[in-house]
Amino acid sequence: MTDTNPDSLCFLPLGGSDEIGMNLNLYGYGPERDRKWIIVDCGVTFGDLSTPGVDLIMPDPRFIEERAGDLIGMVLTHAHEDHMGAVAHLWRRLRCPIWATPFTAWLVRDRLHEYGLEDEVELHEIALDSRFDLGPFDIQLVTLTHSIPEPNGLAIRTPAGLVLHTGDWKIDPDPLIGESTDVSALTAMGEEGVLAMVCDSTNVFSKGESGSEAGVKEELVKVVSENTTGKVAIAAFASNVARLQSAIEAAEANGRRVCLIGRSMHRMTAAAKSVGLLQHVQDFVSEEEAGFFPPEKILYLCTGSQGEPRAALSRIAEGNHRNVNLGPGDTVIFSSRVIPGNDLGIFQLQNRLAERGVEIITEKDRPVHVSGHPCRDELAQMYQWAQPSVAIPVHGERRHLIEHAAFARELQVPHSVTVRNGDMVEIRSDGTASIIDEAPAGRLHVDGNFLTDADANSMRERRKLAYAGEITVAMAVSRKGELLSGPDLRCMGVAEDANLSNEEFMDALADEAERTYDRLSPRNRRDLEYAEEEIRRAVRREANRIWGKKPWIDVMLLEI
């Protein structure tokens, strides 16, 4: 569509809508032909069984990459991986300056260093409560509370009006680390007039409030005190520095020293100390030193609460961690929630710990975790403060966004828009909004050292191989089309059956390959590409007839 409105204000999510995680949001201002853009957050999610071999997944920034000349900069709301983890991967495609508060900036700088980008990126470290201009955008940081230091909402002002982008948040009256929610700033915006609020939807189905970190600290002190003879390990998200502080205080209150296990724990505590946090705790004990402490005098603070196979706690559960061993009399406290999709890995991890005689305590047993996202009462309070004309739910699956929009209507918000990634929303100065266009919103996979389109042939082939394996058919033929040797079959990932040996299965497929070649005309035999395709189809059909699955078939005709 052609837009000539000079005051056009657009919101465009490329990640984080219709999903939880992988946030990448665009705001654009001005007529389409001369629209200026900013990026808010640039995050990742993690690969799973549906993406074999893939470490990370991130939004495809093609839309804004093609408009790089109109991209003014990127603002990061906080330092969770699903909000800043893609910066180092995507920056060379975007090449824009970045603004972040000190804790987030430290972690971004550390990640850029890993990728050799620290001298290329223009990274602006800004104070909390900062207000600055990016082209037509007047950006004000608003202090909120969340499960990481320095979470910020953004008040984005343009000549068209004010949009409040909450980022991730909750209302914690006693967050332990950092300031509490800046209610005065939020209510002032409500009085000024908020056109739209782009808001976190994670816990929209949960009634009440999410709870306070102060309550978790009290419970951790109690739980640790109940184990007087064995080792204690607390598994938590390393980014939740308030939770780390609580775990450390629980250890020290019970005469235990703390040993950090896992690279992320060391990275996050270093970032926290760089901005003045965790200053009044005892020095951490190294893994090697911890082995010399009596069991009742040590507490391990571990990564791996989500069952990640390579994380510290999984290696401990397998019994192959080089320095840490847990067994009967020891306790593991999961001070975290089960993220949907990680259920199987977490339960397998807990089963392995149980087999070793370890006592397991989770949030289902004791109140050792609270969410970092707002429940319904907190959402209602935020809407009361901000009083937006339009609700734009994000950071949720489809069902979350639909429920959030319905809840906003119950709260008397006049308008709501439920967006999918790629939906371009025009937010109008009269307090209305609608989807006006659609942009490409694909996915990129981090596959080893490569950054690959999610729809690339290699990714489709990988999924097929994971589902039904591969069979290779090799045949040697003469220039006249005579079969000289073969078919020779090799397979990988093909199932075995008690009533049919693998050799018999391969023989049946080899017979079908030979029959198919014999049926080809002399002319078609000389067209090796055509002959290979005919054999591939025939062998695949025969495999499906016998096995009930269609494996990946690779046929090679070698002309001698």
Side-chain angles (χ1 to χ4, degrees):
M1 65 175 292
T2 301
D3 177 15
T4 58
N5 180 8
D7 286 332
S8 178
L9 172 59
C10 293
F11 170 67
L12 172 60
L14 297 182
S17 293
D18 268 5
E19 64 197 356
I20 295 177
M22 202 163 45
N23 299 276
L24 196 161
N25 303 285
L26 303 177
Y27 287 91
Y29 178 78
E32 183 179 8
R33 63 180 178 275
D34 192 34
R35 186 170 290 151
K36 303 303 179 185
W37 294 92
I38 60 172
I39 298 174
V40 175
D41 292 335
C42 188
V44 300
T45 191
F46 298 96
D48 56 27
L49 293 176
S50 68
T51 56
V54 171
D55 303 309
L56 297 172
I57 305 173
M58 63 195 68
D60 186 342
R62 182 183 2 150
F63 173 87
I64 192 62
E65 184 180 2
E66 293 170 351
R67 294 159 178 78
D70 293 319
L71 175 59
I72 301 170
M74 178 190 302
V75 184
L76 302 176
T77 61
H78 64 285
H80 274 143
E81 287 293 312
D82 63 332
H83 290 259
M84 53 73 72
V87 170
H89 295 281
L90 298 181
W91 185 82
R92 284 199 170 104
R93 297 190 177 203
L94 304 171
R95 295 192 174 276
C96 64
I98 302 170
W99 280 261
T101 55
F103 181 80
T104 303
W106 191 98
L107 290 166
V108 171
R109 199 175 291 116
D110 183 59
R111 187 63 54 78
L112 292 173
H113 176 74
E114 291 180 24
Y115 288 85
L117 292 171
E118 67 271 25
D119 296 328
E120 293 186 45
V121 179
E122 182 184 337
L123 177 58
H124 298 269
E125 184 174 312
I126 54 177
L128 278 71
D129 302 323
S130 290
R131 186 166 178 174
F132 55 99
D133 291 329
L134 292 180
F137 301 95
D138 172 358
I139 311 292
Q140 176 187 354
L141 272 61
V142 183
T143 296
L144 302 176
T145 54
H146 183 42
S147 55
I148 196 169
E150 301 178 4
N152 301 282
L154 301 181
I156 303 172
R157 294 179 174 88
T158 72
L162 165 62
V163 173
L164 174 58
H165 184 103
T166 68
D168 290 359
W169 64 281
K170 63 182 290 185
I171 300 174
D172 191 338
D174 192 359
L176 298 184
I177 285 179
E179 299 296 323
S180 57
T181 301
D182 191 344
V183 177
S184 61
L186 293 169
T187 54
M189 289 175 205
E191 293 170 359
E192 176 184 347
V194 176
L195 282 182
M197 183 164 70
V198 178
C199 186
D200 182 352
S201 308
T202 310
N203 284 343
V204 68
F205 289 105
S206 300
K207 296 180 180 179
E209 299 176 349
S210 56
S212 176
E213 284 294 332
V216 174
K217 183 182 78 171
E218 293 176 6
E219 190 64 22
L220 287 176
V221 172
K222 292 179 185 177
V223 174
V224 174
S225 72
E226 292 166 6
N227 187 321
T228 58
T229 59
K231 290 170 277 191
V232 173
I234 297 179
F237 297 114
S239 58
N240 191 341
V241 177
R243 190 68 50 80
L244 305 189
Q245 174 82 44
S246 296
I248 294 166
E249 292 187 24
E252 294 180 352
N254 290 286
R256 294 176 183 261
R257 297 290 298 278
V258 175
C259 174
L260 303 179
I261 307 292
R263 181 173 177 271
S264 293
M265 284 292 175
H266 290 278
R267 183 168 176 259
M268 285 294 174
T269 53
K273 289 185 175 183
S274 76
V275 296
L277 303 176
L278 301 181
Q279 295 295 317
H280 304 294
V281 301
Q282 296 184 64
D283 291 339
F284 299 121
V285 175
S286 71
E287 292 180 19
E288 292 77 12
E289 292 175 309
F292 295 101
F293 278 69
E296 70 278 7
K297 296 297 182 181
I298 197 73
L299 184 143
Y300 295 107
L301 199 44
C302 301
T303 60
S305 66
Q306 298 303 299
E308 304 96 316
R310 290 178 290 181
L313 192 57
S314 287
R315 289 185 282 122
I316 293 170
E318 292 285 357
N320 57 21
H321 193 283
R322 61 181 181 179
N323 293 311
V324 182
N325 179 61
L326 296 178
D330 299 331
T331 302
V332 173
I333 303 166
F334 283 81
S335 186
S336 58
R337 71 183 181 96
V338 176
I339 295 177
N342 294 342
D343 314 53
L344 180 61
I346 294 172
F347 298 149
Q348 288 176 341
L349 168 63
Q350 292 175 353
N351 284 330
R352 290 196 300 271
L353 288 168
E355 285 181 341
R356 301 182 71 82
V358 175
E359 181 184 0
I360 298 165
I361 296 173
T362 74
E363 63 171 333
K364 302 295 185 184
D365 307 305
R366 305 281 289 269
V368 292
H369 174 71
V370 291
S371 175
H373 299 271
C375 297
R376 290 177 81 89
D377 286 359
E378 292 157 284
L379 284 169
Q381 180 64 76
M382 181 63 83
Y383 277 103
Q384 183 179 339
W385 288 331
Q387 302 178 49
S389 297
V390 180
I392 305 179
V394 294
H395 205 288
E397 298 170 0
R398 194 67 191 160
R399 62 192 181 94
H400 295 89
L401 305 189
I402 292 171
E403 177 65 20
H404 187 159
F407 186 51
R409 289 192 292 272
E410 290 179 19
L411 298 171
Q412 308 306 309
V413 178
H415 305 281
S416 61
V417 183
T418 54
V419 293
R420 291 181 169 87
N421 293 326
D423 286 345
M424 186 181 295
V425 179
E426 184 178 51
I427 304 169
R428 305 182 189 92
S429 56
D430 64 359
T432 62
S434 63
I435 297 169
I436 61 169
D437 207 346
E438 185 176 352
R443 295 285 177 266
L444 298 176
H445 289 173
V446 177
D447 188 7
N449 294 327
F450 293 169
L451 192 57
T452 305
D453 191 294
D455 294 325
N457 286 335
S458 60
M459 290 294 104
R460 291 199 296 268
E461 291 170 359
R462 186 84 57 79
R463 288 188 286 270
K464 289 179 181 178
L465 290 171
Y467 175 70
E470 177 188 22
I471 296 173
T472 301
V473 181
M475 302 167 68
V477 299
S478 71
R479 293 181 183 274
K480 295 180 179 180
E482 299 169 328
L483 180 59
L484 300 178
S485 69
D488 184 18
L489 273 66
R490 296 288 185 273
C491 66
M492 292 183 64
V494 174
E496 299 178 7
D497 183 73
N499 299 314
L500 181 71
S501 70
N502 188 266
E503 183 177 350
E504 291 172 322
F505 183 33
M506 291 297 108
D507 284 346
L509 300 185
D511 290 343
E512 182 61 24
E514 186 171 354
R515 284 194 297 269
T516 302
Y517 187 75
D518 288 341
R519 288 196 296 266
L520 294 176
S521 68
R523 179 181 177 180
N524 287 338
R525 290 184 186 183
R526 289 193 294 271
D527 185 342
L528 295 184
E529 186 175 336
Y530 177 85
E532 286 177 345
E533 179 61 17
E534 288 297 301
I535 295 169
R536 187 193 70 81
R537 290 180 177 179
V539 172
R540 192 163 182 249
R541 282 195 302 268
E542 184 67 4
N544 186 51
R545 185 188 68 79
I546 299 172
W547 182 19
K549 280 192 172 184
K550 298 176 181 178
W552 183 268
I553 307 294
D554 188 20
V555 179
M556 296 181 293
L557 294 183
L558 178 62
E559 191 176 69
I560 298 175

